[in-house]
Amino acid sequence: MSEQNQQQEKKLIFSGIQPTGTFTLGNYIGAIRNWAPLQDEYRCIYSVVDEHAITVRIEPAVLRRKTLEAYAQLLACGIDLEKSLLFIQSHVPTHAQLSWVLNCSAQFGELSRMTQFKDKSRKHQDDINAGLFDYPVLMAADILVYNADLVPIGADQTQHLELARVIARRFNSRYGDTFTVPEGYVPPVGARIMSLQDPTKKMSKSDENPNAVILILDDKDTIIRKFKRAVTDSGSEIVFREGKDGINNLLTIYSAVTGKSIEEAEKEFDGKGYGDFKLAVGEVVADHLAPVRDAYARLVDDKAYLKECYTRCGAEALRYSQRILNKVYRKVGFVASEIR
Ligand code: ATP
Ligand code: LTN
């Protein structure tokens, strides 16, 4: 089989991440680090979704800076542009164009039931804008405009993916077979990394307490200090058990980073104290993230290189998605245009 045919035989993956801050160890273990190994088996298309980011208030200068930083962080985490595409969502207008068409296949009731919308409208009561409500339709467009087969997501995004599947099926039954109905791919280990200060809450980049969150660009001393301060319990045993949320979280992190099972980790630390264990987790996390931090430092100031990367990938994503958008426009009955 020719290399090009093999390439076309491969299933297609799409995933996106919002540039709303430096990525956390939770984003990394639950999402980003799973993207790199998929690149050999699948054709992968990844995007920094800046259009999603303006559904909550963000300063224009901050968004611009964070978008470029997010792009550099993803490259530093191993997205390989020889194998995959990585682009900025607003550079590829087909997403927003398809999202308008899909709006007319999405129901008000469905969108009202989305828990992220309910959470975010509670959090931003002074700005419950239509974009916040429509967020999942743009996400559906991101995926369907490439006819992606598989979508790597964290557990919190499964409701949005299910809606994308509903919209795809509804469109197909109304207008004839057009979209692939995508499958979700939730990573088996570390789908939910918890806050170091309140281990009943997920680690989140918008947390106001910096000690609760490990950022992938934190230096070694900072990482070790944050783990030393991690909230645990009044016991002394390093075992994964109900009620030991702090220790469970640290064991999950240790296991996700070293590749050892939880049982192996429990054995390794049998008889040791919490202090030693926290230090060991801090060490392995810092060593694991060091190459990411180094690669990021090399990339982030090379604005010309970043521009060349996102321009090339964006142009290719546009070409690819334009074909699918044209088909959609034909199916819904828009008059063919020579302008596009
Ligand atoms: P924010 O604080 O801005 O809401 P966040 O840190 O919660 O952001 P998102 O940008 O919503 O993260 O998510 C990016 C990706 O990282 C998603 O796929 C999400 O499922 C995953 N993710 C986020 N937090 C965690 C976590 N604590 N554990 C595992 N995966 C996570
Ligand atoms: N909603 C996702 C980000 C996102 C996404 C996508 C993920 C936007 N479009 C398409 C997968 C596929 C989030 O907040 N993590």
Side-chain angles (χ1 to χ4, degrees):
M1 202 189 291
S2 77
E3 204 176 307
Q4 195 184 0
N5 280 350
Q6 265 179 5
Q7 208 37 28
Q8 273 159 8
E9 288 282 301
K10 284 183 177 174
K11 291 200 165 185
L12 198 142
I13 281 197
F14 180 91
S15 200
I17 193 154
Q18 294 192 65
T20 41
T22 303
F23 298 135
T24 69
L25 185 64
N27 300 137
Y28 179 77
I29 293 176
I32 304 163
R33 75 142 181 193
N34 305 298
W35 290 8
L38 294 169
Q39 299 178 109
D40 292 319
E41 218 179 311
Y42 301 92
R43 281 190 296 151
C44 298
I45 304 182
Y46 297 125
S47 181
V48 177
V49 293
D50 53 348
E51 291 173 330
H52 279 99
I54 61 164
T55 55
V56 298
R57 288 279 80 84
I58 180 162
E59 279 298 318
V62 173
L63 177 62
R64 198 168 293 122
R65 177 171 55 77
K66 287 190 169 173
T67 300
L68 293 174
E69 288 174 358
Y71 193 92
Q73 284 173 62
L74 292 172
L75 288 181
C77 289
I79 303 301
D80 177 353
L81 301 186
E82 296 285 314
K83 299 178 185 160
S84 309
L85 295 181
L86 175 62
F87 64 92
I88 298 171
Q89 186 189 33
S90 62
H91 292 183
V92 183
T94 45
H95 295 227
Q97 288 172 301
L98 179 62
S99 116
W100 178 257
V101 176
L102 297 183
N103 271 330
C104 305
S105 283
Q107 299 299 303
F108 181 84
E110 287 166 344
L111 292 173
S112 316
R113 283 194 290 277
M114 294 292 115
T115 51
Q116 183 175 299
F117 171 67
K118 289 194 258 182
D119 290 349
K120 290 210 171 165
S121 3
R122 226 173 284 127
K123 229 160 127 190
H124 306 276
Q125 293 202 10
D126 55 337
D127 187 19
I128 307 176
N129 61 75
L132 196 60
F133 185 68
D134 203 33
Y135 178 113
V137 180
L138 180 58
M139 177 164 161
D142 294 339
I143 300 164
L144 301 182
V145 84
Y146 299 99
N147 269 335
D149 300 288
L150 216 59
V151 184
I153 38 164
D156 60 326
Q157 293 297 312
T158 49
Q159 198 187 25
H160 286 165
L161 184 73
E162 193 45 45
L163 182 67
R165 288 161 55 81
V166 168
I167 293 175
R169 281 200 216 95
R170 189 174 293 142
F171 188 97
N172 287 348
S173 71
R174 200 173 281 169
Y175 296 106
D177 218 18
T178 310
F179 293 124
T180 304
V181 179
E183 302 283 337
Y185 171 81
V186 179
V189 205
R192 231 169 122 76
I193 301 300
M194 311 309 278
S195 151
L196 297 187
Q197 290 299 310
D198 176 0
T200 60
K201 223 176 71 180
K202 85 165 191 158
M203 184 181 285
S204 172
K205 51 179 136 58
S206 55
D207 200 310
E208 272 153 29
N209 181 351
N211 288 324
V213 180
I214 301 290
L215 301 177
I216 64 169
L217 303 178
D218 278 344
D219 61 32
K220 185 164 187 165
D221 289 349
T222 308
I223 293 176
I224 289 178
R225 181 169 43 76
K226 287 179 180 177
F227 274 109
K228 276 190 183 158
R229 291 187 186 166
V231 169
T232 46
D233 53 72
S234 54
S236 60
E237 265 189 294
I238 299 162
V239 286
F240 195 100
R241 204 169 285 153
E242 212 184 316
K244 291 176 75 75
D245 298 319
I247 292 295
N248 295 351
N249 189 34
L250 296 182
L251 280 167
T252 303
I253 293 172
Y254 188 79
S255 154
V257 168
T258 58
K260 294 176 186 170
S261 68
I262 300 276
E263 294 73 42
E264 284 171 320
E266 285 173 340
K267 263 195 216 119
E268 190 177 335
F269 292 100
D270 186 26
K272 301 237 168 73
Y274 282 0
D276 289 341
F277 176 49
K278 287 180 183 178
L279 184 64
V281 182
E283 294 269 357
V284 293
V285 169
D287 291 346
H288 188 82
L289 292 177
V292 173
R293 204 165 157 259
D294 293 346
Y296 176 79
R298 284 194 302 274
L299 284 160
V300 73
D301 292 325
D302 196 345
K303 297 280 184 293
Y305 174 70
L306 294 178
K307 186 173 177 187
E308 182 194 315
C309 295
Y310 61 69
T311 305
R312 178 174 65 73
C313 290
E316 200 170 326
L318 178 61
R319 259 195 310 281
Y320 190 94
S321 56
Q322 189 69 62
R323 289 208 309 271
I324 294 167
L325 184 72
N326 287 347
K327 182 171 173 190
V328 170
Y329 275 14
R330 221 174 32 247
K331 293 246 179 184
V332 301
F334 293 164
V335 172
S337 161
E338 294 297 314
I339 302 169
R340 283 199 296 274

